[in-house]
């Protein structure tokens, strides 16, 4: 399937991507089930009935604590529950469930491996709290691909604040014109645009239950192997296009 493009991103026009940062939940790993389990265990601790996974899934994207705060605003508008207690119970349970039920999306490992072998620098930028993000990465054998991992509590800011991706670029000495960020939500797209990097998306994530296409990413990829194929084809150097084509054929089969 051809990569769809709504508009030409600055990084694409430069003909090369040196740094690609990835979102985690809904982009590389489907974590909805393990998040929902932790949330409902925490609710059970305070005698609240479980919430359906789709309701919880629609709130993924701003970190576990913010997810729970938003959920409590829906189910406990009278503020009957002790918010801090519920958050503490969520931390306890998510430490146990993170990395237990997550499933990497098809082609994730091969995509990241191809990019690394092609000389692309990789970062992971998530709003999930860092300790939970690392458990998910470790459990799914993804940690070793990334030079830098940024969680929602790693910095004073989180996506969509421009300073998050700017921090990664500064640390890895990469320019916005040669950087792209791939995610599944409007939060990811806005983070990329605020930082002046290419805003790319995949359609299978969460995005509060809304199609991410509505937010007009500069490029929409319908598989992770397509991401590697596209980035490697942009990179200058001998046989870059041939390498990309070979890898894409192998990953798509």
């Amino acid at each position: 399937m051809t990569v769809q493009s709504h508009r030409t991103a600055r990084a694409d026009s430069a003909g090369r991507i040196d740094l690609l940062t990835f979102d985690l939940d809904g982009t590389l790993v489907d974590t909805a089930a393990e998040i929902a389990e932790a949330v409902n265990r925490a609710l059970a601790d305070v005698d609240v009935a479980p919430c359906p996974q789709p309701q919880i899934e629609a709130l993924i994207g701003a970190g576990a604590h913010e997810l729970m705060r938003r959920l409590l605003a829906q189910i406990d508008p009278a503020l009957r529950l002790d918010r801090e207690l519920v958050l503490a119970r969520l931390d306890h349970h998510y430490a146990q469930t993170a990395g237990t039920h997550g499933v990497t999306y098809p082609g994730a490992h091969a995509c990241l491996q191809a990019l690394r072998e092609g000389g692309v620098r990789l970062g992971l930028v998530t709003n999930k709290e860092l300790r939970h993000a690392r458990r998910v990465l470790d459990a799914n054998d993804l940690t070793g691909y990334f030079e830098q991992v940024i969680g929602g509590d790693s910095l004073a800011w989180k996506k969509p604040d421009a300073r998050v991706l700017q921090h990664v670029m500064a640390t890895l000495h990469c320019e916005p014109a040669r950087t792209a960020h791939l995610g599944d939500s409007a939060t990811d797209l806005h983070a990329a645009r605020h930082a002046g990097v290419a805003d790319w998306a995949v359609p299978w994530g969460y995005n509060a239950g809304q199609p991410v296409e509505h937010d007009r990413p500069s490029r929409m990829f319908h598989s992770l192997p397509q991401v590697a194929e596209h980035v490697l084809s942009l990179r200058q150097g001998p046989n870059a296009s041939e390498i990309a084509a070979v890898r894409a054929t192998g990953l798509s089969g």
Side-chain angles (χ1 to χ4, degrees), residues 32 35-36 52-63 66-68 70-71 74 184-185 187 205-210:
I35 292 173
Q53 183 170 315
Q55 182 181 7
I56 297 170
E57 187 173 307
L59 301 175
I60 294 174
E66 185 60 26
L67 182 156
M68 183 61 89
R70 293 176 182 178
L71 182 64
Q74 295 177 6
D184 70 311
S185 71
T187 297
Y206 310 128
N207 196 35
Q210 300 300 313

Side-chain angles (χ1 to χ4, degrees), residues 2-248:
T2 303
V3 178
Q4 296 178 356
S5 177
H6 294 295
R7 53 187 168 81
T8 300
R10 179 181 170 194
D12 284 332
S13 64
R16 181 184 179 97
I17 295 294
D18 292 331
L19 169 63
L20 179 56
T21 59
F22 288 81
D23 173 53
L24 179 58
D25 302 275
T27 300
L28 289 174
V29 185
D30 182 358
T31 54
E34 63 191 33
I35 292 173
E37 181 174 346
V39 167
N40 281 324
R41 286 185 187 181
L43 293 178
D45 288 346
V46 292
D47 299 319
V48 174
C51 292
Q53 183 170 315
Q55 182 181 7
I56 297 170
E57 187 173 307
L59 301 175
I60 294 174
H65 279 198
E66 185 60 26
L67 182 156
M68 183 61 89
R69 291 189 186 99
R70 293 176 182 178
L71 182 64
L72 291 175
Q74 295 177 6
I75 65 176
D76 182 39
L79 304 180
R80 179 182 63 86
L81 299 172
D82 181 336
R83 263 46 178 175
E84 293 307 313
L85 172 61
V86 177
L87 291 177
R89 298 312 298 162
L90 175 62
D91 279 339
H92 171 76
H93 291 300
Y94 198 33
Q96 298 175 336
T97 67
T100 59
H101 302 314
V103 179
T104 55
Y105 291 104
H109 289 277
C111 168
L112 295 171
Q113 183 66 29
L115 290 168
R116 283 292 300 269
E117 290 180 3
V120 182
R121 307 188 76 175
L122 302 179
L124 191 287
V125 180
T126 175
N127 280 342
K128 184 192 294 294
E129 291 77 7
L130 183 61
R131 61 195 180 280
H132 301 318
R134 289 199 180 279
R135 291 189 186 96
V136 172
L137 290 171
D138 289 346
N140 290 280
D141 297 321
L142 295 172
T143 302
Y145 294 113
F146 300 104
E147 291 187 58
Q148 189 170 40
V149 177
I150 299 295
D153 53 357
S154 297
L155 305 171
W157 330 279
K158 59 184 180 180
K159 298 179 299 185
D161 195 295
R163 290 169 288 187
V164 180
L165 291 176
Q166 288 169 348
H167 171 84
V168 178
M169 288 186 284
T171 302
L172 298 181
H173 307 290
C174 293
E175 297 295 325
R178 293 192 172 183
T179 299
H181 177 70
L182 180 75
D184 70 311
S185 71
T187 297
D188 291 297
L189 298 177
H190 294 155
R193 293 165 188 168
H194 293 163
V197 310
D199 55 328
W200 296 349
V202 293
W204 51 73
Y206 310 128
N207 196 35
Q210 300 300 313
V212 72
E213 293 95 327
H214 292 177
D215 296 288
R216 298 187 61 80
S218 61
R219 288 188 182 271
M220 175 69 72
F221 295 90
H222 292 275
S223 75
L224 289 170
Q226 283 185 346
V227 179
E229 177 185 8
H230 180 65
V231 172
L232 293 176
S233 70
L234 288 176
R235 288 178 62 79
Q236 299 171 358
N239 303 321
S241 297
E242 290 82 353
I243 293 171
V246 169
R247 293 200 178 282

